[in-house]
Amino acid sequence: MHSEAQGKFSKLFVRVTEPIVFGNRGRTLLVLAAVTIFMVWQALHLKVDSGFEKQLPLGHPYIKVFKQYEKEFGGANVVLFAVTEKKEKDIYNPAFMNTLRAVTDSVTFLPGTDRARVSSIFTPDVRYLEVVEEGFAGGNVISADFTPTPENLDKVKANVSKAGIIGRLVANDQRGAMIFSELLEKDPITGKTIDYIKTAGVIEDIRQKYINSKMYEYRLKADHEPLKAGEVVRREYHDPRSLFFRFKTIVVDTEAADGSSQVFELEGSDFDVAEVANPNFNPDIDIHIIGFAKVVGDVADSLLEVVGFFFLTLALTWMLLTLYTGSALIALIPLSCAVLAVIWELGMLHLFGYALDPFGILVPFLVLSIGVSHGIQITSFWLYEVADHGLDSFAASRATYRRLVVPGISAVLTNVVGFGTILLVPIGIVQEMAVNAMFGLVAIIFCKKMLLPCLLSYAKISNPVEFRAHQARRDRIFEPIWSAVSTLTLKPFAIGTIVLSIGFYLYNDHVAKDLKIGELLDGVPELRPDSRYNRDSKTIVDNFSIGVDVMKVIAESKADGCIDHGIIENIDRFSWRMQNTPGVQSTLSLPQAQRKVFNAYGESNPKWNVLPRESGALVITVQPFPSSTGLLNEDCSAIPVFIFTADHKAETIDGIVSGIDKFIAEQPADSPVKFSKATGNVGVMAAVNDVVAETEPTVLFWVYAGIALCVFISFRTISSVICVLFPLALVSVMSYAVMVWLQIGVKVSTLPVAAFAAGIGVDYGIYIYSVLEECVKNGMSLRDAYKQTLHQTGKAVVFTSLALAGSVCTWLFSGLQFQVDMGILLTIMFVANAVAAVLLLPAFAYFLLKPEKLIAKAAKEAAKAEAAAAKASAK
C-alpha cells in the first residue's frame, strides 16, 4: 500500500515539477549534465587556501585591541624556529653558529615575513648592557663581523648571559637557540595576500635545507634562452621524482641580463633531477618549527590522505548499498548522485569566489553523507514500489517522486536552516564552513530530488524475479524486528520509552555541564599528539621559558608614561602578579628591563634592583630600548606586558584572564593606567573562546527554532514538531556528554557539530513521520501504520545510519586529530539519531498522533477535492 503526496501545497508542487523531471527526461538529463560539466570545470579551478584573519572574531574587544596595536607590537601570526643541538654540548661551537646564522638569514627573507620583527642572537635588536670601570658598555650580542673563533665564542656566551635572554632566545640549558618571526597577512614586497600553504612549504624547506643530507638539483636537458642545457636552475631538499613528475609544471625564476626577473614555466620532462650531497647539512642539529602557517601546511599535507578516505568511504558505501539493493548497478546510481552533489558544491565554492580552507575539508564528507542519506531513502522507496507493487522502473520512479519529493525537500531545507544558523558565529572560517555546507545542500536538491529519480526511471533489472526475491528475503529478515519495535506504539511501552528517554536526557545534560570551551589538550588539536608539529611544540616548551603561546596586555597611559614612576610601578606590579598566576611560564615588560638597567648603574647591588622614583633616572633606564624592541610605542603611551603561558588549554586561558580581570578590578577609578586585553595568539584564543561561549546557546536555539518552523510548515501540526524534535535534542545533549568523555572542547572546529548532527538526524525524523502520518490517514491502526512505516522507510533509516557510521569509522586511522574526533562524534551521532528516531517517534506518536482526527481530516480533504472536481466537470 502506498499513497501519494497529500495536502494542497504538496499536490501543487508535484503537479508543477513532475513534468519537468519526467515529461522530457532526455532534456532534463541534458540540462543537468551541462550544469555538471560546468561545475566540474569550476571545481578543477578551486584552490586550497587559508587565512589567519579568518580565524579571528573581528568584532570582539580583544581583537579590536589586537588590530589597533598590530603594527606597533606585532600580531599573533608568529612562527618560531628552535635550532637545537642533538649531542650533549652547548651552542657555542662553530658548526652550530654557522647554521644558526644561515637559518636566521633564511627566515628573514621568507616571503611574507615582517623582517623588522625577525629576532635571534644574530639580529641587531638583541643587545646586552654591562657595567665596566669606565661606566657602561653594551652592544649587539653577536657583532656584525663575528667569526666563530674560540675567543669570539666565549665572548658570545658572556654576552648572552649579560643580555638576559636565556630562556627566550637561548634555551635554558644553552643547547638551543630561538628565531622569532612574524608573518604579515599581505606580502610587504608584492602586496598580495600570502599563500599559507606555499609559505608552509617554504618554511619546511628551511628545515630540510639543514637537516637533510641529500639535495636534488634540476638540470635542463635542452637550451631555454637565456638558460643553457645542463644548467642547474632549481634546488630542493625532498625527492620530487614521483610517478607524475614529468607532467608537473615547474616554475623557474631567473635573472635576465638587464637585472630584471624572468619567470619560466617548464614541465618536469624538461629536467634531469640529480641527487647530490647537501653542503648545508649539519648532522648535529635539529630544527623545531611551530606557528599557524606550519599548522596550515601540515593539515594541507594530509589532503591526499583525506581524499583517500573519501574514496574509501565511497567504496564501503557502494558495497553496503549493493548488499542492500541486490544490484551493484542500482547501488551505483544514488552514490554517483551524491558524488555529483559534492562536485557541484566545490564548483559553487569557486564560482562564488571562495577557496577550500584546509580546516573545512571535512564539509564535503558531510555533504556526501547527507546526499547518501537522501539517496538511500529514495532508492529504498523505489525498491519498495518495484518489489511490493510490481511497477516498472519508470512508474516506480514517478510514484517515488510523488511520495518523497516534498518531505525530501523539506528535510533539505531544514538542513539549510540548521547550517544557516552557524552564520551567526562572527568568525570567518565558521561562516565559510556554513556557506560551503549550504552550497552542498542546494546541490543535493538538484542531484537527489531531480537527477536521481530521473536516472532510476532508466534502471534496467535484468532478472526481475530474482531482484524481487532479494527484496523479499531482506524484508523477511527485518519483519520480526519491525513487529517488536511497533509495540512502542502501545501505551505501556510508549510510557516506559518516554520515561527512559527523559532520564537519559537528564543524565547526559548533567554530564554535559562539564563541557569546556576551548582546547583541552597540549599542542594543536588539528594534528595527532605524536605529530612532528606537536613534538616540536613540546620540545620548545620543555627547553625554553617561552613558546608560541603568548598573551600581550597593553598598558595604556599618557605620553612619556615610561618615565612616570607611578605608571611604571603599576605596570611592574601587574607583571609580577601575572608571573605568579598559575599557567604562566614567564612575563616580559619594559619595567622589568628598566629595573635591570638601574640595577646595573648600582654596580649590580641587589638593593638597587628597583625602579627609580625620579623621572630623570627613569629616562636613563629607557634609553637602551627603542620602540623597535616591541616593549613600547613611539611616545611611550602604550607598553605591552608579554605573558608567556605554559599552554593554550581552556582552563589555563580562563585562569589567566580571570587573574587579569581581578587585577583590573582592583585599580582605582582614577588610575593613570588602563590595561587593555589582549593581543598575541593566546589573546586571540581567549577572544574565540568568548565568542564560542556566547554564540553556542544562540546557535542551538536558532537551529531548533528553524527546524521546528520547517517541520511545522511541512506537516502543519504541533505533534510533528515534538515527534521530530525531541529525538534530535536527545542526541545533541548526548553528543556533548560524549565530548566531555573524550576530552573534546567546544571550539571553532566542533561548534558546527550540533547543527551538522541535527541536519543528519532531522532527515530520519521527517521521512518516518511523513509515512507514518499518511498510513494513519489511510485508516490503519497506529501499530500497523508504524510497522508499514518501518517496512517502507525504517529499513532505509537503519541502513543509512549503519552505512554512514561504518564509513566514517575509517577516519579513526587518519593522521589529522580533528578528523579522528569528528569521526568518533559522527559515528555516534549517525547511529544515535537513527535509534532515537526509530524508538522515540512512535512513543510520542501514541500520545500526539490521533488517528480519528487524521482520518477525519483526510476525509474532509478528499470530499473537498471531489466537490472541486465535480464543479470543474460541471462547468
Side-chain angles (χ1 to χ4, degrees), residues 512-827:
K513 285 182 170 62
D514 293 329
L515 187 66
K516 302 293 185 183
I517 305 294
E519 308 294 355
L520 303 184
L521 302 173
D522 294 328
V524 293
E526 290 80 12
L527 303 171
R528 289 270 196 177
D530 60 350
S531 66
R532 175 65 197 254
Y533 183 96
N534 283 330
R535 285 187 281 116
D536 283 352
S537 179
K538 186 177 186 307
T539 297
I540 290 175
V541 170
D542 290 345
N543 291 283
F544 293 82
S545 297
I546 58 172
V548 75
D549 294 326
V550 58
M551 177 183 286
K552 303 175 193 174
V553 177
I554 310 300
E556 299 171 318
S557 63
K558 64 181 182 181
D560 296 324
C562 52
I563 59 173
D564 184 308
H565 179 267
I567 292 172
I568 290 298
E569 179 68 24
N570 201 3
I571 298 172
D572 193 47
R573 283 193 300 107
F574 175 72
S575 299
W576 180 87
R577 178 81 70 86
M578 290 299 101
Q579 177 70 62
N580 292 278
T581 299
V584 175
Q585 276 191 309
S586 63
T587 61
L588 175 66
S589 65
L590 180 64
Q592 292 170 308
Q594 288 177 274
R595 194 190 303 111
K596 290 181 180 179
V597 172
F598 189 65
N599 180 246
Y601 273 99
E603 299 183 352
S604 299
N605 190 320
K607 76 175 185 178
W608 298 113
N609 189 24
V610 295
L611 290 166
R613 293 184 174 275
E614 295 295 326
S615 294
L618 284 171
V619 168
I620 297 174
T621 65
V622 174
Q623 286 177 343
F625 306 106
S627 59
S628 60
T629 61
L631 293 176
L632 69 166
N633 65 350
E634 286 290 344
D635 64 355
C636 207
S637 62
I639 298 171
V641 177
F642 294 73
I643 303 171
F644 298 99
T645 66
D647 52 57
H648 51 250
K649 294 179 183 178
E651 58 187 358
T652 301
I653 295 176
D654 291 344
I656 293 171
V657 170
S658 177
I660 295 170
D661 290 339
K662 185 177 179 181
F663 184 90
I664 292 173
E666 294 171 358
Q667 300 302 299
D670 59 348
S671 173
V673 184
K674 176 187 175 186
F675 293 94
S676 297
K677 306 187 296 277
T679 75
N681 71 306
V682 174
V684 169
M685 290 180 184
V688 170
N689 291 351
D690 270 2
V691 168
V692 170
E694 290 171 7
T695 57
E696 185 215 4
T698 305
V699 168
L700 279 177
F701 172 80
W702 286 111
V703 163
Y704 285 101
I707 290 174
L709 179 63
C710 289
V711 172
F712 182 79
I713 291 173
S714 298
F715 299 103
R716 302 187 303 283
T717 61
I718 297 297
S719 60
S720 63
V721 175
I722 296 173
C723 287
V724 172
L725 228 60
F726 188 83
L728 291 181
L730 179 62
V731 173
S732 286
V733 75
M734 188 195 75
S735 69
Y736 285 145
V738 170
M739 289 171 70
V740 172
W741 293 327
L742 296 177
Q743 289 191 297
I744 300 173
V746 180
K747 50 202 175 192
V748 167
S749 59
T750 57
L751 180 62
V753 166
F756 290 154
I760 298 289
V762 74
D763 299 346
Y764 301 154
I766 287 177
Y767 280 117
I768 290 175
Y769 187 86
S770 65
V771 176
L772 176 61
E773 184 186 61
E774 293 206 2
C775 288
V776 171
K777 281 182 179 180
N778 288 327
M780 300 176 71
S781 68
L782 186 59
R783 182 175 183 182
D784 290 340
Y786 197 58
K787 281 180 68 175
Q788 182 64 21
T789 298
L790 292 174
H791 175 64
Q792 289 186 31
T793 194
K795 57 177 179 271
V797 167
V798 173
F799 174 78
T800 300
S801 66
L802 294 177
L804 295 178
S807 298
V808 297
C809 267
T810 60
W811 296 6
L812 300 181
F813 302 101
S814 172
L816 296 176
Q817 186 61 45
F818 80 108
Q819 186 174 15
V820 174
D821 293 341
M822 287 290 283
I824 294 171
L825 290 174
L826 289 175
T827 298

Side-chain angles (χ1 to χ4, degrees), residues 436-447:
N436 190 352
M438 287 193 287
F439 283 154
L441 294 172
V442 170
I444 285 172
I445 291 178
F446 289 95
C447 293

Side-chain angles (χ1 to χ4, degrees), residues 295-353:
V295 176
V296 172
D298 288 357
V299 172
D301 287 344
S302 297
L303 279 178
L304 187 60
E305 181 184 287
V306 171
V307 172
F309 278 109
F310 186 86
F311 285 107
L312 179 59
T313 298
L314 289 179
L316 288 174
T317 306
W318 179 57
M319 287 190 292
L320 291 170
L321 271 170
T322 300
L323 182 65
Y324 179 75
T325 61
S327 169
L329 183 60
I330 290 175
L332 199 59
I333 296 174
L335 195 59
S336 299
C337 291
V339 173
L340 288 181
V342 173
I343 292 172
W344 280 36
E345 169 213 354
L346 299 177
M348 282 189 279
L349 269 180
H350 180 262
L351 182 63
F352 287 91

Side-chain angles (χ1 to χ4, degrees), residues 10 33 41 44 86 91 107-108 119 128 143 166 220 368 404 439 466 475-476 487 513 521 606 617 622 696 752 773 778:
S10 299
W41 183 81
L44 289 174
K86 291 181 179 178
I91 65 175
V107 173
T108 301
S119 186
Y128 72 95
S143 61
I166 295 176
L220 282 170
L368 179 71
L404 293 184
F439 283 154
E466 176 55 32
D475 291 343
R476 281 196 297 272
T487 59
K513 285 182 170 62
L521 302 173
V622 174
E696 185 215 4
E773 184 186 61
N778 288 327

Side-chain angles (χ1 to χ4, degrees), residues 357-571:
D357 194 286
F359 296 106
I361 57 177
L362 297 185
V363 175
F365 277 97
L366 296 169
V367 172
L368 179 71
S369 299
I370 295 174
V372 168
S373 174
H374 286 276
I376 291 175
Q377 285 290 344
I378 293 170
T379 305
S380 181
F381 204 89
W382 180 85
L383 293 171
Y384 165 72
E385 294 290 351
V386 171
D388 285 30
H389 299 123
L391 300 181
D392 60 28
S393 296
F394 181 74
S397 292
R398 294 192 74 147
T400 300
Y401 183 83
R402 292 168 184 167
R403 178 62 193 82
L404 293 184
V405 65
V406 173
I409 290 180
S410 298
V412 175
L413 292 177
T414 305
N415 297 157
V416 172
V417 170
F419 293 140
T421 59
I422 307 175
L423 291 170
L424 297 173
V425 182
I427 300 175
I429 182 61
V430 178
Q431 294 175 333
E432 195 171 294
M433 288 170 66
V435 171
N436 190 352
M438 287 193 287
F439 283 154
L441 294 172
V442 170
I444 285 172
I445 291 178
F446 289 95
C447 293
K448 287 296 179 183
K449 305 309 173 185
M450 295 180 65
L451 179 60
L452 178 56
C454 197
L455 291 176
L456 285 173
S457 70
Y458 285 102
K460 300 296 181 184
I461 302 172
S462 57
N463 189 341
V465 174
E466 176 55 32
F467 181 78
R468 290 186 175 94
H470 175 84
Q471 313 307 318
R473 286 193 299 271
R474 183 200 59 212
D475 291 343
R476 281 196 297 272
I477 294 172
F478 285 106
E479 189 62 31
I481 301 174
W482 302 152
S483 182
V485 174
S486 67
T487 59
L488 295 175
T489 58
L490 304 178
K491 186 175 182 180
F493 296 102
I495 293 173
T497 302
I498 291 174
V499 170
L500 286 174
S501 66
I502 292 174
F504 188 67
Y505 180 93
L506 294 175
Y507 169 74
N508 282 280
D509 185 58
H510 173 71
V511 173
K513 285 182 170 62
D514 293 329
L515 187 66
K516 302 293 185 183
I517 305 294
E519 308 294 355
L520 303 184
L521 302 173
D522 294 328
V524 293
E526 290 80 12
L527 303 171
R528 289 270 196 177
D530 60 350
S531 66
R532 175 65 197 254
Y533 183 96
N534 283 330
R535 285 187 281 116
D536 283 352
S537 179
K538 186 177 186 307
T539 297
I540 290 175
V541 170
D542 290 345
N543 291 283
F544 293 82
S545 297
I546 58 172
V548 75
D549 294 326
V550 58
M551 177 183 286
K552 303 175 193 174
V553 177
I554 310 300
E556 299 171 318
S557 63
K558 64 181 182 181
D560 296 324
C562 52
I563 59 173
D564 184 308
H565 179 267
I567 292 172
I568 290 298
E569 179 68 24
N570 201 3
I571 298 172

